[in-house]
Amino acid sequence: MHQLIQQIKRHKGFKSYPEYCPAGKLSIGYGRDLDGVGIRLEEAEILLANDLNALLGETRENINLEHCNPARLAALINLIHLLGLECFLTFNRVITAIESRDFVLATNELLLCLKAKYLPQYTAQLLLQLESGQWQ
């Protein structure tokens, strides 16, 4: 199996973004057929955990999170995962409020920033979690 894997890697090459293979199927990685196979639940969970760990690290590089308990930190990372870090970093008053431990103000500022955007219903729960510091 090891030689087969090495051969396929050598022949196909790694693709970090989806592209169409010669057979016309959307593929990624070393030829994973996204149209026919997709990804398994276990693979999706690994990808999510990797994405969240990377996002947490990037967020910590940009925002002082030392005053966030685990529930608040989770709410923030969930919101940043939803919006994207680049977008979230434009919310200067939110970040200042978080770094100042004023989670009521942070939540109110987030409501102002987010009201024009389409957001899932669970966003209200995340804002309550951020404000209260309690899991929702």
Side-chain angles (χ1 to χ4, degrees):
M1 181 62 79
H2 176 72
Q3 286 179 310
L4 172 60
I5 290 171
Q6 293 307 312
Q7 185 180 54
I8 288 174
K9 285 181 172 182
R10 195 172 55 252
H11 290 168
K12 294 217 178 238
F14 175 74
K15 305 294 187 248
S16 60
Y17 293 95
E19 68 177 26
Y20 288 95
C21 72
K25 302 212 179 213
L26 191 62
S27 65
I28 194 167
Y30 293 103
R32 169 57 71 92
D33 177 1
L34 292 175
D35 291 330
V37 177
I39 62 171
R40 291 183 281 284
L41 176 62
E42 298 83 11
E43 294 166 324
E45 290 176 357
I46 290 168
L47 291 172
L48 178 60
N50 290 343
D51 291 347
L52 293 177
N53 281 323
L55 187 57
L56 178 58
E58 292 172 27
T59 301
R60 282 194 165 128
E61 290 175 8
N62 290 280
I63 303 171
N64 180 351
L65 302 172
E66 70 182 56
H67 305 304
C68 294
N69 70 9
R72 285 188 170 118
L73 183 59
L76 276 173
I77 297 302
N78 198 325
L79 286 165
I80 293 168
H81 183 255
L82 175 68
L83 300 168
L85 182 59
E86 187 175 311
C87 174
F88 194 86
L89 291 176
T90 66
F91 302 161
N92 295 321
R93 289 187 291 232
V94 173
I95 293 168
T96 299
I98 290 166
E99 293 178 339
S100 301
R101 300 183 191 188
D102 191 343
F103 295 103
V104 172
L105 178 61
T107 300
N108 289 334
E109 290 293 336
L110 269 168
L111 283 169
L112 292 173
C113 293
L114 300 177
K115 76 177 188 178
K117 298 187 183 301
Y118 169 77
L119 295 171
Q121 288 182 319
Y122 63 77
T123 305
Q125 291 177 335
L126 294 175
L127 294 176
L128 180 59
Q129 184 170 317
L130 175 62
E131 183 177 324
S132 69
Q134 302 294 315
W135 289 94
Q136 299 299 309

